[in-house]
Amino acid sequence: MLKVQNLYKTFEQKKKEKIEAVRDVSFNVNPGEVYGLLGPNGAGKTTILRMISTLLKPTRGEIFVKEFNTKDSSLDVKRNLGFLSGSTALYDRLTAEEMVKYFGNLFGLEKQILNQRIEEIFSLLKMNEFRNIRCGKLSTGMKQKVSIARTLINDPPLLVLDEPTAGLDVLSAKNIIDFIKRSRDKGKAIIFSTHIMSEAEYLCDRVGILHKGKIYYEGTLSEIKQKSKVEHLQDIFFLLEEQESEKTPA
Amino acid sequence: MKKLQLRNILLILHKEIIDMLRDKRTIIGMIVVPIVVMPLLSLGMMGLMMAEMKKLEEKPIILGICDNSKTNLIKSSFEEPDQNGNQMKVKFVETEDEEVLRQKVIAKEVMIGIIIPEHLEDNLKANTSTQIILVYDKSRPQTDAIMPKVLNIIRNLGNSIRDERLKNLGLSEEFIHPLKLEYEDLATPKKMGAFIIGMILPYMLLILSVAGASNPAMDLTAGEKERGTLETILVSPASIEEITFGKFFTIQFASIISTLLILLSYFVFLKIGLFASMADIYLKINIPLTSLILILLLFFPASGMFSAILLTLSIFAKSLKEAQSYMAPIMVLTIFPAMVSLLPGIEPSFLLAIIPVVNVSLSIKMIITEDFNLMLYTVTFLSSTIYAILCLLLTINIFKRESVLFRI
């Protein structure tokens, strides 16, 4: 479903200073699988997910969603994925229903199909009681549900979730976790980034450990623990940090 | 450029207009301020000015007089009614010392001081001139209003003495006026109205167009960046071009509507007679429908250019606050070229017809004052359209840059 091959991303800062945010990253995500990109802040998780969702262009390397390449088929790629992140907010002055309908229309869904999808999703996520309330007046949990509905409206085979539970309370985070589990059960491919290890251990079938733009370990959680010889997943980052400082001359 | 889907552009335009009309700030800026606040402010200012002028008329003029001749000639001339039978309300403060009179003018105790020399009577008898000194403070706002009245009375006194002298010599007034001037103004009230409207309307249209576009431009770009909704629309299947066009047309819509609303509200205020003194002039002009269509046609690319420029600057800004700081220079850059319609002596030409803003300002003036030149109008329309398209292409280019979109 998702194939990432030798991906690089370099940002040019002021004074022509270059920052290599992503270095030679490759991985696949299959249908019915949750792939976790784990890493501390600044590891390059958001940059990779933004490249998958075509918001950023790779400096080198290729990304395929189904058979579509992000370089030359960005609109087809966008039609096949649902992107959700902390920075994909809602229009405060649209109601929950208007918000979801707007995106459904942009996906070109026919009126009848769109209305049917809205009814299904609103019932599934228990959103009917606030469907006519403007998003600006909704609670954080309700907003999160509207965002999920917006992501699901085109029934995409791939879900790209960038730290979807960041800043949420326990109940709102549960909405997201249930949504991921339900989507996996429906055969969707899911890539999600997090720095909360317990979430990854609970949800992910496979993970990629990202540190300073590079994937150092990849596999199931038990495989990674075995390879890295650490008891707890978060210890890997301390290990990688130590290895990094040993390489750097004092 | 990928193939544009009109459906997506219309969807974005429709959503943005709904979103905009639900925003209290935009409603206040786009509707309440233009149709209520601005005319009322103008009305208030005009009312205040008229009240002040009336107060000045009713208030007696305080004149200081130092009559060294003791003839009372000048003073009595102020007490006589004029040719129309109107009596000027004057209060005299008399002094015998010229320096004291000057001090009274400086101390604002009197509005204008009149110094009459000792030998006035002798000079009158000898048929020679006498120098009357008027002491005033030019920095006082009332001076300009009162001075013509005082001069008029003294000149009339001088003229009657002159006529008396001529009569004594057996000569008529024509002896010293071999050439007489008569003024014949062929400007009809309609033409005068067109002349005044032709100066003001282009300037107002252009400035209001920028003002009307700036709030939505900032809200739809920098505001969306700040609120995080820009990323949401960017991951939808609408292309950057479609998103840009949708936002661009929304801004242009706001610009045109707010400009038309303010003009309409001024028209209504004039029609119901709230600006009575102005209505005398403005309502005598009748802009033909074809002229209105020509003006609106020209206004379209002009507002398009402004909308694209404001959209580009706003998308470049990290936040609403930064976007606001870009708006003031744009306003200044528009005000000066738009003011060309207010300047006398600047006539439309082919060179001016390709200078942005200046061309539109002069063309609208040309249409209203009925000096229409089709060639210049066409050049203005085409060049403005080209500028609008170029600005829009620049906007799309800027919108595509990652460094601009994610400059947070």
Side-chain angles (χ1 to χ4, degrees), chain B residues 6 8 36 51 61 69 74 85 91 113 137 169 181 216 223 242 279 303 321 350 362 372 397:
Chain B
L6 183 64
N8 280 352
V36 183
I61 298 171
S69 69
I74 304 286
K91 200 177 146 191
D137 179 353
L169 292 169
L181 287 175
E242 289 159 1
S303 68
K321 206 174 168 187
F350 282 102
L362 286 176
F372 185 67
N397 188 285

mmCIF file with all atom_site columns, all heavy atoms in Angstrom, chain B residues 6 8 36 51 61 69 74 85 91 113 137 169 181 216 223 242 279 303 321 350 362 372 397:
data_model
loop_
_atom_site.group_PDB
_atom_site.id
_atom_site.type_symbol
_atom_site.label_atom_id
_atom_site.label_alt_id
_atom_site.label_comp_id
_atom_site.label_asym_id
_atom_site.label_entity_id
_atom_site.label_seq_id
_atom_site.pdbx_PDB_ins_code
_atom_site.Cartn_x
_atom_site.Cartn_y
_atom_site.Cartn_z
_atom_site.occupancy
_atom_site.B_iso_or_equiv
_atom_site.pdbx_formal_charge
_atom_site.auth_seq_id
_atom_site.auth_comp_id
_atom_site.auth_asym_id
_atom_site.auth_atom_id
_atom_site.pdbx_PDB_model_num
ATOM 1   N N   . LEU B 1 6   ? -13.077 23.395  -12.153 1.00 0.00 ? 6   LEU B N   1
ATOM 2   C CA  . LEU B 1 6   ? -13.929 24.522  -11.783 1.00 0.00 ? 6   LEU B CA  1
ATOM 3   C C   . LEU B 1 6   ? -14.771 24.181  -10.556 1.00 0.00 ? 6   LEU B C   1
ATOM 4   O O   . LEU B 1 6   ? -15.000 25.008  -9.674  1.00 0.00 ? 6   LEU B O   1
ATOM 5   C CB  . LEU B 1 6   ? -14.823 24.910  -12.971 1.00 0.00 ? 6   LEU B CB  1
ATOM 6   C CG  . LEU B 1 6   ? -15.712 26.129  -12.757 1.00 0.00 ? 6   LEU B CG  1
ATOM 7   C CD1 . LEU B 1 6   ? -14.886 27.379  -12.566 1.00 0.00 ? 6   LEU B CD1 1
ATOM 8   C CD2 . LEU B 1 6   ? -16.674 26.311  -13.914 1.00 0.00 ? 6   LEU B CD2 1
ATOM 9   N N   . ASN B 1 8   ? -14.004 22.362  -7.981  1.00 0.00 ? 8   ASN B N   1
ATOM 10  C CA  . ASN B 1 8   ? -13.247 22.560  -6.730  1.00 0.00 ? 8   ASN B CA  1
ATOM 11  C C   . ASN B 1 8   ? -13.101 24.039  -6.402  1.00 0.00 ? 8   ASN B C   1
ATOM 12  O O   . ASN B 1 8   ? -13.199 24.432  -5.241  1.00 0.00 ? 8   ASN B O   1
ATOM 13  C CB  . ASN B 1 8   ? -11.868 21.912  -6.839  1.00 0.00 ? 8   ASN B CB  1
ATOM 14  C CG  . ASN B 1 8   ? -11.926 20.420  -6.600  1.00 0.00 ? 8   ASN B CG  1
ATOM 15  O OD1 . ASN B 1 8   ? -12.977 19.897  -6.207  1.00 0.00 ? 8   ASN B OD1 1
ATOM 16  N ND2 . ASN B 1 8   ? -10.832 19.732  -6.829  1.00 0.00 ? 8   ASN B ND2 1
ATOM 17  N N   . VAL B 1 36  ? -22.443 52.096  7.345   1.00 0.00 ? 36  VAL B N   1
ATOM 18  C CA  . VAL B 1 36  ? -22.964 52.899  8.462   1.00 0.00 ? 36  VAL B CA  1
ATOM 19  C C   . VAL B 1 36  ? -21.912 53.864  9.009   1.00 0.00 ? 36  VAL B C   1
ATOM 20  O O   . VAL B 1 36  ? -22.108 55.088  9.024   1.00 0.00 ? 36  VAL B O   1
ATOM 21  C CB  . VAL B 1 36  ? -23.499 51.990  9.602   1.00 0.00 ? 36  VAL B CB  1
ATOM 22  C CG1 . VAL B 1 36  ? -24.091 52.836  10.716  1.00 0.00 ? 36  VAL B CG1 1
ATOM 23  C CG2 . VAL B 1 36  ? -24.528 51.004  9.076   1.00 0.00 ? 36  VAL B CG2 1
ATOM 24  N N   . ALA B 1 51  ? -21.592 73.593  11.729  1.00 0.00 ? 51  ALA B N   1
ATOM 25  C CA  . ALA B 1 51  ? -21.971 74.197  13.010  1.00 0.00 ? 51  ALA B CA  1
ATOM 26  C C   . ALA B 1 51  ? -20.940 75.242  13.427  1.00 0.00 ? 51  ALA B C   1
ATOM 27  O O   . ALA B 1 51  ? -21.292 76.328  13.914  1.00 0.00 ? 51  ALA B O   1
ATOM 28  C CB  . ALA B 1 51  ? -22.088 73.106  14.069  1.00 0.00 ? 51  ALA B CB  1
ATOM 29  N N   . ILE B 1 61  ? -17.697 89.965  15.496  1.00 0.00 ? 61  ILE B N   1
ATOM 30  C CA  . ILE B 1 61  ? -16.258 90.062  15.196  1.00 0.00 ? 61  ILE B CA  1
ATOM 31  C C   . ILE B 1 61  ? -15.671 91.120  16.134  1.00 0.00 ? 61  ILE B C   1
ATOM 32  O O   . ILE B 1 61  ? -16.189 92.238  16.226  1.00 0.00 ? 61  ILE B O   1
ATOM 33  C CB  . ILE B 1 61  ? -16.036 90.455  13.718  1.00 0.00 ? 61  ILE B CB  1
ATOM 34  C CG1 . ILE B 1 61  ? -16.608 89.369  12.805  1.00 0.00 ? 61  ILE B CG1 1
ATOM 35  C CG2 . ILE B 1 61  ? -14.568 90.694  13.425  1.00 0.00 ? 61  ILE B CG2 1
ATOM 36  C CD1 . ILE B 1 61  ? -16.627 89.758  11.336  1.00 0.00 ? 61  ILE B CD1 1
ATOM 37  N N   . SER B 1 69  ? -6.339  109.418 13.895  1.00 0.00 ? 69  SER B N   1
ATOM 38  C CA  . SER B 1 69  ? -6.895  110.597 13.200  1.00 0.00 ? 69  SER B CA  1
ATOM 39  C C   . SER B 1 69  ? -8.102  111.176 13.935  1.00 0.00 ? 69  SER B C   1
ATOM 40  O O   . SER B 1 69  ? -8.511  112.296 13.675  1.00 0.00 ? 69  SER B O   1
ATOM 41  C CB  . SER B 1 69  ? -7.326  110.198 11.793  1.00 0.00 ? 69  SER B CB  1
ATOM 42  O OG  . SER B 1 69  ? -8.449  109.357 11.855  1.00 0.00 ? 69  SER B OG  1
ATOM 43  N N   . ILE B 1 74  ? -13.456 105.078 9.655   1.00 0.00 ? 74  ILE B N   1
ATOM 44  C CA  . ILE B 1 74  ? -13.376 103.610 9.427   1.00 0.00 ? 74  ILE B CA  1
ATOM 45  C C   . ILE B 1 74  ? -14.398 102.896 10.313  1.00 0.00 ? 74  ILE B C   1
ATOM 46  O O   . ILE B 1 74  ? -15.134 102.020 9.842   1.00 0.00 ? 74  ILE B O   1
ATOM 47  C CB  . ILE B 1 74  ? -11.955 103.088 9.722   1.00 0.00 ? 74  ILE B CB  1
ATOM 48  C CG1 . ILE B 1 74  ? -10.893 103.828 8.907   1.00 0.00 ? 74  ILE B CG1 1
ATOM 49  C CG2 . ILE B 1 74  ? -11.861 101.561 9.518   1.00 0.00 ? 74  ILE B CG2 1
ATOM 50  C CD1 . ILE B 1 74  ? -10.817 103.489 7.448   1.00 0.00 ? 74  ILE B CD1 1
ATOM 51  N N   . GLY B 1 85  ? -28.034 94.973  2.445   1.00 0.00 ? 85  GLY B N   1
ATOM 52  C CA  . GLY B 1 85  ? -28.781 95.347  3.645   1.00 0.00 ? 85  GLY B CA  1
ATOM 53  C C   . GLY B 1 85  ? -28.392 94.571  4.888   1.00 0.00 ? 85  GLY B C   1
ATOM 54  O O   . GLY B 1 85  ? -29.053 94.653  5.920   1.00 0.00 ? 85  GLY B O   1
ATOM 55  N N   . LYS B 1 91  ? -17.771 94.238  17.289  1.00 0.00 ? 91  LYS B N   1
ATOM 56  C CA  . LYS B 1 91  ? -17.559 94.825  18.615  1.00 0.00 ? 91  LYS B CA  1
ATOM 57  C C   . LYS B 1 91  ? -16.158 95.445  18.576  1.00 0.00 ? 91  LYS B C   1
ATOM 58  O O   . LYS B 1 91  ? -15.204 94.747  18.185  1.00 0.00 ? 91  LYS B O   1
ATOM 59  C CB  . LYS B 1 91  ? -17.652 93.702  19.655  1.00 0.00 ? 91  LYS B CB  1
ATOM 60  C CG  . LYS B 1 91  ? -17.934 94.176  21.052  1.00 0.00 ? 91  LYS B CG  1
ATOM 61  C CD  . LYS B 1 91  ? -18.081 92.968  21.964  1.00 0.00 ? 91  LYS B CD  1
ATOM 62  C CE  . LYS B 1 91  ? -17.537 93.304  23.323  1.00 0.00 ? 91  LYS B CE  1
ATOM 63  N NZ  . LYS B 1 91  ? -17.409 92.122  24.156  1.00 0.00 ? 91  LYS B NZ  1
ATOM 64  N N   . GLY B 1 113 ? -6.644  93.906  14.189  1.00 0.00 ? 113 GLY B N   1
ATOM 65  C CA  . GLY B 1 113 ? -6.449  95.275  14.647  1.00 0.00 ? 113 GLY B CA  1
ATOM 66  C C   . GLY B 1 113 ? -6.329  96.222  13.456  1.00 0.00 ? 113 GLY B C   1
ATOM 67  O O   . GLY B 1 113 ? -5.756  95.858  12.416  1.00 0.00 ? 113 GLY B O   1
ATOM 68  N N   . ASP B 1 137 ? -3.062  87.844  13.206  1.00 0.00 ? 137 ASP B N   1
ATOM 69  C CA  . ASP B 1 137 ? -2.240  86.658  13.502  1.00 0.00 ? 137 ASP B CA  1
ATOM 70  C C   . ASP B 1 137 ? -2.708  85.549  12.545  1.00 0.00 ? 137 ASP B C   1
ATOM 71  O O   . ASP B 1 137 ? -3.764  84.946  12.734  1.00 0.00 ? 137 ASP B O   1
ATOM 72  C CB  . ASP B 1 137 ? -2.472  86.254  14.972  1.00 0.00 ? 137 ASP B CB  1
ATOM 73  C CG  . ASP B 1 137 ? -1.680  85.010  15.365  1.00 0.00 ? 137 ASP B CG  1
ATOM 74  O OD1 . ASP B 1 137 ? -1.062  84.404  14.473  1.00 0.00 ? 137 ASP B OD1 1
ATOM 75  O OD2 . ASP B 1 137 ? -1.699  84.651  16.566  1.00 0.00 ? 137 ASP B OD2 1
ATOM 76  N N   . LEU B 1 169 ? -14.182 115.804 -10.048 1.00 0.00 ? 169 LEU B N   1
ATOM 77  C CA  . LEU B 1 169 ? -13.369 116.147 -11.228 1.00 0.00 ? 169 LEU B CA  1
ATOM 78  C C   . LEU B 1 169 ? -14.183 116.053 -12.524 1.00 0.00 ? 169 LEU B C   1
ATOM 79  O O   . LEU B 1 169 ? -13.663 116.270 -13.614 1.00 0.00 ? 169 LEU B O   1
ATOM 80  C CB  . LEU B 1 169 ? -12.170 115.206 -11.348 1.00 0.00 ? 169 LEU B CB  1
ATOM 81  C CG  . LEU B 1 169 ? -11.085 115.327 -10.265 1.00 0.00 ? 169 LEU B CG  1
ATOM 82  C CD1 . LEU B 1 169 ? -10.112 114.157 -10.364 1.00 0.00 ? 169 LEU B CD1 1
ATOM 83  C CD2 . LEU B 1 169 ? -10.348 116.645 -10.433 1.00 0.00 ? 169 LEU B CD2 1
ATOM 84  N N   . LEU B 1 181 ? -14.172 93.448  -17.008 1.00 0.00 ? 181 LEU B N   1
ATOM 85  C CA  . LEU B 1 181 ? -14.231 91.986  -17.204 1.00 0.00 ? 181 LEU B CA  1
ATOM 86  C C   . LEU B 1 181 ? -15.599 91.454  -16.837 1.00 0.00 ? 181 LEU B C   1
ATOM 87  O O   . LEU B 1 181 ? -16.181 91.865  -15.839 1.00 0.00 ? 181 LEU B O   1
ATOM 88  C CB  . LEU B 1 181 ? -13.192 91.288  -16.315 1.00 0.00 ? 181 LEU B CB  1
ATOM 89  C CG  . LEU B 1 181 ? -11.732 91.424  -16.724 1.00 0.00 ? 181 LEU B CG  1
ATOM 90  C CD1 . LEU B 1 181 ? -10.837 90.787  -15.675 1.00 0.00 ? 181 LEU B CD1 1
ATOM 91  C CD2 . LEU B 1 181 ? -11.485 90.764  -18.073 1.00 0.00 ? 181 LEU B CD2 1
ATOM 92  N N   . PRO B 1 216 ? -10.040 40.042  4.515   1.00 0.00 ? 216 PRO B N   1
ATOM 93  C CA  . PRO B 1 216 ? -10.193 38.647  4.081   1.00 0.00 ? 216 PRO B CA  1
ATOM 94  C C   . PRO B 1 216 ? -8.869  38.024  3.633   1.00 0.00 ? 216 PRO B C   1
ATOM 95  O O   . PRO B 1 216 ? -8.627  36.846  3.902   1.00 0.00 ? 216 PRO B O   1
ATOM 96  C CB  . PRO B 1 216 ? -11.161 38.729  2.899   1.00 0.00 ? 216 PRO B CB  1
ATOM 97  C CG  . PRO B 1 216 ? -11.742 40.061  2.931   1.00 0.00 ? 216 PRO B CG  1
ATOM 98  C CD  . PRO B 1 216 ? -10.897 40.943  3.748   1.00 0.00 ? 216 PRO B CD  1
ATOM 99  N N   . GLY B 1 223 ? -4.135  33.923  8.690   1.00 0.00 ? 223 GLY B N   1
ATOM 100 C CA  . GLY B 1 223 ? -5.061  33.492  9.743   1.00 0.00 ? 223 GLY B CA  1
ATOM 101 C C   . GLY B 1 223 ? -5.200  31.972  9.740   1.00 0.00 ? 223 GLY B C   1
ATOM 102 O O   . GLY B 1 223 ? -5.186  31.337  10.788  1.00 0.00 ? 223 GLY B O   1
ATOM 103 N N   . GLU B 1 242 ? -6.125  25.458  -7.554  1.00 0.00 ? 242 GLU B N   1
ATOM 104 C CA  . GLU B 1 242 ? -7.557  25.573  -7.246  1.00 0.00 ? 242 GLU B CA  1
ATOM 105 C C   . GLU B 1 242 ? -7.764  26.292  -5.913  1.00 0.00 ? 242 GLU B C   1
ATOM 106 O O   . GLU B 1 242 ? -8.659  27.139  -5.789  1.00 0.00 ? 242 GLU B O   1
ATOM 107 C CB  . GLU B 1 242 ? -8.204  24.186  -7.213  1.00 0.00 ? 242 GLU B CB  1
ATOM 108 C CG  . GLU B 1 242 ? -8.327  23.554  -8.591  1.00 0.00 ? 242 GLU B CG  1
ATOM 109 C CD  . GLU B 1 242 ? -8.475  22.038  -8.568  1.00 0.00 ? 242 GLU B CD  1
ATOM 110 O OE1 . GLU B 1 242 ? -8.506  21.433  -7.472  1.00 0.00 ? 242 GLU B OE1 1
ATOM 111 O OE2 . GLU B 1 242 ? -8.530  21.455  -9.648  1.00 0.00 ? 242 GLU B OE2 1
ATOM 112 N N   . ALA B 1 279 ? -25.275 67.351  -1.778  1.00 0.00 ? 279 ALA B N   1
ATOM 113 C CA  . ALA B 1 279 ? -26.283 66.800  -2.692  1.00 0.00 ? 279 ALA B CA  1
ATOM 114 C C   . ALA B 1 279 ? -26.581 67.752  -3.835  1.00 0.00 ? 279 ALA B C   1
ATOM 115 O O   . ALA B 1 279 ? -26.849 67.335  -4.942  1.00 0.00 ? 279 ALA B O   1
ATOM 116 C CB  . ALA B 1 279 ? -27.552 66.489  -1.923  1.00 0.00 ? 279 ALA B CB  1
ATOM 117 N N   . SER B 1 303 ? -9.158  45.503  -8.950  1.00 0.00 ? 303 SER B N   1
ATOM 118 C CA  . SER B 1 303 ? -9.361  44.835  -7.659  1.00 0.00 ? 303 SER B CA  1
ATOM 119 C C   . SER B 1 303 ? -8.710  43.450  -7.685  1.00 0.00 ? 303 SER B C   1
ATOM 120 O O   . SER B 1 303 ? -8.244  42.949  -6.665  1.00 0.00 ? 303 SER B O   1
ATOM 121 C CB  . SER B 1 303 ? -10.846 44.734  -7.324  1.00 0.00 ? 303 SER B CB  1
ATOM 122 O OG  . SER B 1 303 ? -11.474 43.858  -8.207  1.00 0.00 ? 303 SER B OG  1
ATOM 123 N N   . LYS B 1 321 ? -0.413  38.940  12.727  1.00 0.00 ? 321 LYS B N   1
ATOM 124 C CA  . LYS B 1 321 ? 0.276   40.168  13.153  1.00 0.00 ? 321 LYS B CA  1
ATOM 125 C C   . LYS B 1 321 ? 1.287   40.604  12.083  1.00 0.00 ? 321 LYS B C   1
ATOM 126 O O   . LYS B 1 321 ? 1.361   41.779  11.725  1.00 0.00 ? 321 LYS B O   1
ATOM 127 C CB  . LYS B 1 321 ? 0.985   39.896  14.484  1.00 0.00 ? 321 LYS B CB  1
ATOM 128 C CG  . LYS B 1 321 ? 1.189   41.124  15.314  1.00 0.00 ? 321 LYS B CG  1
ATOM 129 C CD  . LYS B 1 321 ? 1.746   40.737  16.658  1.00 0.00 ? 321 LYS B CD  1
ATOM 130 C CE  . LYS B 1 321 ? 2.220   41.975  17.373  1.00 0.00 ? 321 LYS B CE  1
ATOM 131 N NZ  . LYS B 1 321 ? 2.921   41.653  18.606  1.00 0.00 ? 321 LYS B NZ  1
ATOM 132 N N   . PHE B 1 350 ? -0.778  57.600  -23.217 1.00 0.00 ? 350 PHE B N   1
ATOM 133 C CA  . PHE B 1 350 ? -0.444  56.182  -23.387 1.00 0.00 ? 350 PHE B CA  1
ATOM 134 C C   . PHE B 1 350 ? 0.561   55.719  -22.336 1.00 0.00 ? 350 PHE B C   1
ATOM 135 O O   . PHE B 1 350 ? 0.508   54.594  -21.868 1.00 0.00 ? 350 PHE B O   1
ATOM 136 C CB  . PHE B 1 350 ? 0.073   55.909  -24.807 1.00 0.00 ? 350 PHE B CB  1
ATOM 137 C CG  . PHE B 1 350 ? -1.046  55.846  -25.797 1.00 0.00 ? 350 PHE B CG  1
ATOM 138 C CD1 . PHE B 1 350 ? -1.318  56.911  -26.638 1.00 0.00 ? 350 PHE B CD1 1
ATOM 139 C CD2 . PHE B 1 350 ? -1.875  54.720  -25.859 1.00 0.00 ? 350 PHE B CD2 1
ATOM 140 C CE1 . PHE B 1 350 ? -2.378  56.859  -27.536 1.00 0.00 ? 350 PHE B CE1 1
ATOM 141 C CE2 . PHE B 1 350 ? -2.943  54.666  -26.746 1.00 0.00 ? 350 PHE B CE2 1
ATOM 142 C CZ  . PHE B 1 350 ? -3.194  55.732  -27.581 1.00 0.00 ? 350 PHE B CZ  1
ATOM 143 N N   . LEU B 1 362 ? -7.016  57.555  -13.695 1.00 0.00 ? 362 LEU B N   1
ATOM 144 C CA  . LEU B 1 362 ? -7.238  58.543  -14.760 1.00 0.00 ? 362 LEU B CA  1
ATOM 145 C C   . LEU B 1 362 ? -8.357  58.121  -15.719 1.00 0.00 ? 362 LEU B C   1
ATOM 146 O O   . LEU B 1 362 ? -9.114  58.955  -16.213 1.00 0.00 ? 362 LEU B O   1
ATOM 147 C CB  . LEU B 1 362 ? -5.946  58.789  -15.543 1.00 0.00 ? 362 LEU B CB  1
ATOM 148 C CG  . LEU B 1 362 ? -4.882  59.610  -14.816 1.00 0.00 ? 362 LEU B CG  1
ATOM 149 C CD1 . LEU B 1 362 ? -3.620  59.703  -15.650 1.00 0.00 ? 362 LEU B CD1 1
ATOM 150 C CD2 . LEU B 1 362 ? -5.393  61.016  -14.492 1.00 0.00 ? 362 LEU B CD2 1
ATOM 151 N N   . PHE B 1 372 ? -14.081 60.747  -22.762 1.00 0.00 ? 372 PHE B N   1
ATOM 152 C CA  . PHE B 1 372 ? -13.735 59.347  -23.009 1.00 0.00 ? 372 PHE B CA  1
ATOM 153 C C   . PHE B 1 372 ? -12.903 59.152  -24.275 1.00 0.00 ? 372 PHE B C   1
ATOM 154 O O   . PHE B 1 372 ? -13.207 59.703  -25.319 1.00 0.00 ? 372 PHE B O   1
ATOM 155 C CB  . PHE B 1 372 ? -15.027 58.522  -23.103 1.00 0.00 ? 372 PHE B CB  1
ATOM 156 C CG  . PHE B 1 372 ? -14.785 57.061  -23.232 1.00 0.00 ? 372 PHE B CG  1
ATOM 157 C CD1 . PHE B 1 372 ? -14.229 56.349  -22.179 1.00 0.00 ? 372 PHE B CD1 1
ATOM 158 C CD2 . PHE B 1 372 ? -15.092 56.386  -24.396 1.00 0.00 ? 372 PHE B CD2 1
ATOM 159 C CE1 . PHE B 1 372 ? -13.993 54.994  -22.281 1.00 0.00 ? 372 PHE B CE1 1
ATOM 160 C CE2 . PHE B 1 372 ? -14.862 55.024  -24.508 1.00 0.00 ? 372 PHE B CE2 1
ATOM 161 C CZ  . PHE B 1 372 ? -14.311 54.329  -23.452 1.00 0.00 ? 372 PHE B CZ  1
ATOM 162 N N   . ASN B 1 397 ? 2.781   30.829  -7.583  1.00 0.00 ? 397 ASN B N   1
ATOM 163 C CA  . ASN B 1 397 ? 4.181   30.433  -7.426  1.00 0.00 ? 397 ASN B CA  1
ATOM 164 C C   . ASN B 1 397 ? 4.595   30.480  -5.953  1.00 0.00 ? 397 ASN B C   1
ATOM 165 O O   . ASN B 1 397 ? 5.233   29.555  -5.435  1.00 0.00 ? 397 ASN B O   1
ATOM 166 C CB  . ASN B 1 397 ? 5.035   31.389  -8.274  1.00 0.00 ? 397 ASN B CB  1
ATOM 167 C CG  . ASN B 1 397 ? 6.465   30.941  -8.341  1.00 0.00 ? 397 ASN B CG  1
ATOM 168 O OD1 . ASN B 1 397 ? 7.190   31.089  -7.377  1.00 0.00 ? 397 ASN B OD1 1
ATOM 169 N ND2 . ASN B 1 397 ? 6.854   30.379  -9.468  1.00 0.00 ? 397 ASN B ND2 1
#
